[in-house]
């Protein structure tokens, strides 16, 4: 695959951060998108190689690249004709969407682990390589630099809670944010918003307690380096915490089952196995006790779930390169 021209097609900043380790390990790779300005807004620097086309993106992909790597489907939603299209899993939450038929437009689907590999196999070839962010989490330098950057915000005498909700009608922000801010009497509270919640301006607060920090631009895995527990709802952050062996407390908007639809239903892992993934809280008044219990008991998902969901042997970037070599 060393002679192949590989493009990484991205549509937001999350995708860039999630694919960056794979990009950096791929010789002569280029970021691909519609506009240079958009790619810059996603966190891609001016020095990085890019390929763009506003109106003929699909044609450009097929003309300039042998392989396109992406989280998203190809432009137009149908397979590319002359270029391999490789999809990389980006989460386990909202299984109706993540394991949907749109995956059929890929020539190869790269998964986090054997559980997802079997799910994707119904749509085409699939190989488990691990979560690309596991290479960061396994890197002592990444953890050290993250702690050095974030720790000055924190009261060293307090444990730290990270709140990472999903966005839109499935988000817990409206009903739970106030109770989570109240935790600041006992904890450092770090709020990591979904990238779409940032666009939607989901939090409008004028004044915050000194132990609460809203950090929309901070990396979730960097926050995990200083965290003692994660609070989330139906976000993919649940499974990121599971991979990092961080205790999880689960909240949800009221009437969650009435909000099922094209992304989420009773078959999704975060619904069907909710009580196995963390401490489930139904009432705001129970949140403080649940957080304390999760931290003390290290209450998180079982080791069996982590083993099923994530491949954690060796370098994910190396696994990625080996997987691309199967394309010929």
């Amino acid at each position: 695959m060393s002679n192949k021209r590989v493009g990484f097609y991205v549509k937001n900043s999350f995708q860039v951060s999630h694919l960056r380790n794979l990009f950096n390990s791929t010789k002569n790779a280029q970021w691909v998108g519609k506009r240079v300005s958009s790619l810059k807004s996603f966190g891609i620097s001016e020095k990085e190689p890019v390929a763009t086309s506003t109106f003929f993106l699909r044609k450009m992909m097929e003309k300039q690249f042998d392989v396109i790597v992406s989280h998203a489907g190809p432009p137009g939603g149908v397979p590319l004709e002359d270029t391999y299209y490789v999809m990389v899993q980006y989460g386990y939450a909202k299984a109706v969407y993540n394991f949907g038929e749109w995956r059929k437009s890929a020539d190869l689907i790269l998964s986090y682990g054997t559980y997802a590999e079997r799910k994707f196999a119904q749509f085409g070839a699939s190989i488990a390589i691990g979560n690309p962010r596991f290479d960061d989490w396994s890197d002592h330098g990444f953890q050290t630099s993250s702690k050095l950057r974030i720790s000055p915000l924190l009261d060293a005498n307090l444990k730290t809670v990270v709140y990472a909700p999903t966005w839109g009608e499935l988000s817990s922000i409206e009903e739970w944010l106030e109770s989570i801010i109240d935790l600041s009497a006992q904890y450092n509270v770090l709020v990591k918003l979904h990238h779409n919640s940032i666009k939607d301006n989901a939090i409008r607060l004028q004044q915050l307690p000194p132990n609460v920090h809203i950090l929309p631009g901070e990396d979730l895995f960097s926050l995990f380096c200083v965290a003692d527990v994660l609070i989330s709802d139906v976000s993919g952050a649940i499974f990121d915490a599971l991979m990092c062996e961080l205790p999880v407390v689960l909240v949800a908007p009221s009437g969650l089952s009435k909000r099922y639809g094209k992304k989420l239903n009773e078959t999704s892992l975060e619904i069907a196995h909710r009580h196995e993934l963390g401490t489930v809280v139904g009432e705001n008044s129970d949140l403080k006790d649940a957080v304390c219990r999760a931290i003390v008991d290290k209450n998180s998902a079982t080791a069996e779930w982590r083993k099923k969901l994530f491949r954690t042997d060796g370098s994910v970037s190396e696994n990625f390169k080996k997987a691309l070599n199967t394309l010929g």
Side-chain angles (χ1 to χ4, degrees), residues 27-245:
K27 186 178 180 181
N28 297 324
Q30 290 181 275
W31 296 109
V32 177
K34 287 188 174 183
R35 300 173 181 85
V36 172
S37 59
S38 296
L39 294 177
K40 287 182 179 179
S41 73
F42 302 159
I44 295 171
S45 75
E46 294 181 355
K47 297 180 180 180
E48 295 183 86
V50 301
T52 61
S53 178
T54 303
F55 301 108
F56 302 103
L57 184 59
R58 183 185 177 89
K59 288 184 178 180
M60 183 267 286
M61 287 180 178
E62 295 189 319
K63 182 177 181 180
Q64 295 189 24
F65 296 97
D66 301 300
V67 181
I68 293 292
V69 178
S70 185
H71 288 153
V78 296
L80 299 183
E81 294 181 5
D82 301 314
T83 299
Y84 289 116
Y85 200 88
V86 177
M87 291 183 186
V88 180
Q89 181 181 358
Y90 60 87
Y92 272 111
K94 304 173 184 69
V96 179
Y97 177 75
N98 276 325
F99 298 113
E101 290 205 3
W102 63 280
R103 297 287 187 180
K104 288 182 177 179
S105 57
D107 295 291
L108 178 64
I109 308 172
L110 304 180
S111 75
Y112 287 175
T114 55
Y115 179 94
E117 183 180 29
R118 290 194 296 268
K119 288 278 190 180
F120 289 134
Q122 64 184 307
F123 306 120
S126 180
I127 298 175
I129 65 167
N131 183 336
R133 297 307 309 276
F134 187 71
D135 282 353
D136 288 322
W137 185 251
S138 304
D139 179 20
H140 179 73
F142 173 83
Q143 296 219 14
T144 299
S145 62
S146 296
K147 291 174 182 177
L148 286 173
R149 185 174 67 255
I150 300 169
S151 291
L153 298 175
L154 310 178
D155 183 333
N157 297 311
L158 302 178
K159 299 288 188 181
T160 298
V161 172
V162 171
Y163 174 49
T166 192
W167 72 289
E169 64 176 0
L170 296 172
S171 177
S172 56
I173 290 176
E174 184 175 340
E175 296 175 47
W176 286 91
L177 182 60
E178 184 175 342
S179 296
I180 289 165
I181 288 176
D182 287 344
L183 293 173
S184 63
Q186 298 171 261
Y187 301 98
N188 298 302
V189 177
L190 306 180
V191 180
K192 168 61 177 176
L193 296 178
H194 188 282
H195 56 272
N196 284 331
S197 294
I198 299 171
K199 291 193 299 183
D200 295 343
N201 195 23
I203 294 181
R204 302 178 182 87
L205 297 174
Q206 299 300 318
Q207 190 170 1
L208 293 171
N211 291 334
V212 178
H213 303 277
I214 297 178
L215 303 172
E218 187 56 80
D219 177 59
L220 180 63
F221 284 86
S222 291
L223 296 180
F224 283 176
C225 293
V226 300
D228 296 284
V229 65
L230 170 76
I231 301 176
S232 193
D233 37 43
V234 293
S235 168
I238 298 168
F239 301 97
D240 293 333
L242 165 60
M243 184 183 73
C244 298
E245 301 181 274

Side-chain angles (χ1 to χ4, degrees), residues 284-295:
N284 294 66
S285 57
D286 295 330
L287 182 61
K288 289 183 180 180
D289 287 341
V291 169
C292 180
R293 189 166 66 252
I295 293 174

Side-chain angles (χ1 to χ4, degrees), residues 129 134-135 311-320:
I129 65 167
F134 187 71
D135 282 353
R311 179 179 177 181
T312 57
D313 60 308
S315 163
V316 179
S317 295
E318 288 301 315
N319 295 339
F320 168 73

